[in-house]
Amino acid sequence: MTSIGGAEMVDWNLAVATATRFVRPGPDVSRDEARDVVSELRRHARASEEHVRSFTRMIPHGTVPRDTPVLIVDRPGWVRANVAGFRELLKPLLDKMQERRSGTPGGSVLGAVGGKVTGVELGMLLSFLASRVLGQYETFAPASRELPAGDPAQPGGEGGGRLLLVAPNIVHVERELDVDPHDFRLWVCLHEETHRTQFTGVPWLKDHLEGEIQSFLAETDVDPMTVLERFREAAQSLAGARPEGEAEEGGRSIVELVQTPAQREILGRLTAVMSLLEGHADYVMDGVGPEVVPSVSEIREKFQQRRARGASRLDQALRKLLGLDAKLRQYRDGERFVRAVVDEVGMAGFNRVWTSPNTLPTKAEIAKPADWVARVHRKAES
């Protein structure tokens, strides 16, 4: 990256450095307290595995345990893991943009400057997100010494990912909500372990998601002026200067602003899958919770209020711009879908959703679960 001629489209190292510099400090804990939190999260992650497997019945009893590691990370550690994932996932798109840029006069010099600007921008966004994520099942970053992953060649290693638990954020939220810390930590682990079960119990899921994302990126218009114009629209939406004729609630997220018609179709499928995954995790968390988390009702109520309330006006604007409001809807809509399907056809009937990409719900079916049941169950039984 120090060479202008070999400059990347994104200065990834600068992105990490920027995010690490600007991320908010974590809660004040002593060394002993931090050690206890890490130890307890590891115990809860192990316990959650059996709870989730028993409840979801996605992985047959007696299957060789998965080897995907649990990593307890701080905020900079979460940033580094996600930068590594972005770098891998975006490589085909950035290579295409790099090739187009190299054919323009002064492209190398502009690329060196642009890569640093983009690195700073990405770093600032990650610094905002790094203090909000409680956990994540990360699948895309290549394995490294700092970021080990399950071995896809070994039994139970499908997906080659790792489960990240962001300890300072978990401590921050449990204090903010004033809930029992031991119960809250287990409750969070149940949600995140469900995501690990989804990816390790459904071998085709990672490749399917990656294929959809790559198809979305392949449709991206890489003309710099077009991209600039769409970001200008995003800035106008934040400032309240809506284009004429736009709905009063207006303001589109960055994701929505970079769509071709083909991308809108792909994004609809991705939205449906993410709603399923997030809603399923919430459903499992609530289903297992009453048996193993004594104060689950209090935690759920306070956490839902926190989700709905948001934070400052700036925080709300950034959430809108980054599409985080859509993510919150995914939890709610997806959980309703899972609950409705399980109520109608039972857990075994719901688990048909994991048969193949063809049995995943569409965006329309997420809103109308009976349509998914009719398509998948009645068609199979006819």
Side-chain angles (χ1 to χ4, degrees), residues 180-259:
D180 182 283
H182 309 293
D183 284 2
F184 184 74
R185 292 166 196 173
L186 176 56
W187 189 71
V188 170
C189 286
L190 289 171
H191 182 101
E192 302 308 333
E193 172 57 37
T194 303
H195 288 315
R196 179 162 67 162
T197 298
Q198 291 163 349
F199 280 92
T200 56
V202 185
W204 53 263
L205 182 58
K206 174 183 178 293
D207 289 341
H208 172 70
L209 267 180
E210 187 169 7
E212 290 281 60
I213 293 170
Q214 292 302 336
S215 295
F216 181 90
L217 295 176
E219 289 290 332
T220 298
D221 187 344
V222 295
D223 176 65
M225 293 307 296
T226 300
V227 174
L228 179 62
E229 179 59 31
R230 286 172 177 170
F231 271 90
R232 188 175 297 120
E233 288 182 43
Q236 289 173 349
S237 72
L238 275 183
R242 300 182 183 90
E244 184 178 355
E246 189 174 323
E248 179 61 24
E249 64 183 21
R252 295 178 291 174
S253 72
I254 286 176
V255 171
E256 294 172 310
L257 290 170
V258 292
Q259 289 179 59

Side-chain angles (χ1 to χ4, degrees), residues 222-339:
V222 295
D223 176 65
M225 293 307 296
T226 300
V227 174
L228 179 62
E229 179 59 31
R230 286 172 177 170
F231 271 90
R232 188 175 297 120
E233 288 182 43
Q236 289 173 349
S237 72
L238 275 183
R242 300 182 183 90
E244 184 178 355
E246 189 174 323
E248 179 61 24
E249 64 183 21
R252 295 178 291 174
S253 72
I254 286 176
V255 171
E256 294 172 310
L257 290 170
V258 292
Q259 289 179 59
T260 64
Q263 283 179 310
R264 282 194 289 273
E265 183 178 337
I266 297 167
L267 190 63
R269 296 197 298 267
L270 281 170
T271 298
V273 175
M274 297 311 298
S275 296
L276 171 68
L277 299 181
E278 296 294 358
H280 183 235
D282 265 12
Y283 178 81
V284 172
M285 183 169 59
D286 288 345
V288 175
E291 295 183 9
V292 299
V293 182
S295 60
V296 65
S297 297
E298 177 191 5
I299 291 173
R300 183 64 161 158
E301 181 180 358
K302 289 184 174 180
F303 195 77
Q304 288 288 68
Q305 290 173 353
R306 181 180 184 271
R307 272 183 181 174
R309 187 170 60 242
S312 67
R313 188 172 180 179
L314 175 61
D315 184 84
Q316 291 172 358
L318 285 169
R319 280 170 48 179
K320 175 65 179 177
L321 183 60
L322 297 174
L324 299 183
D325 282 348
K327 185 175 178 63
L328 297 182
R329 290 195 296 273
Q330 288 171 7
Y331 287 105
R332 183 181 64 247
D333 297 345
E335 195 273 343
R336 280 202 294 253
F337 170 84
V338 176
R339 186 173 301 280

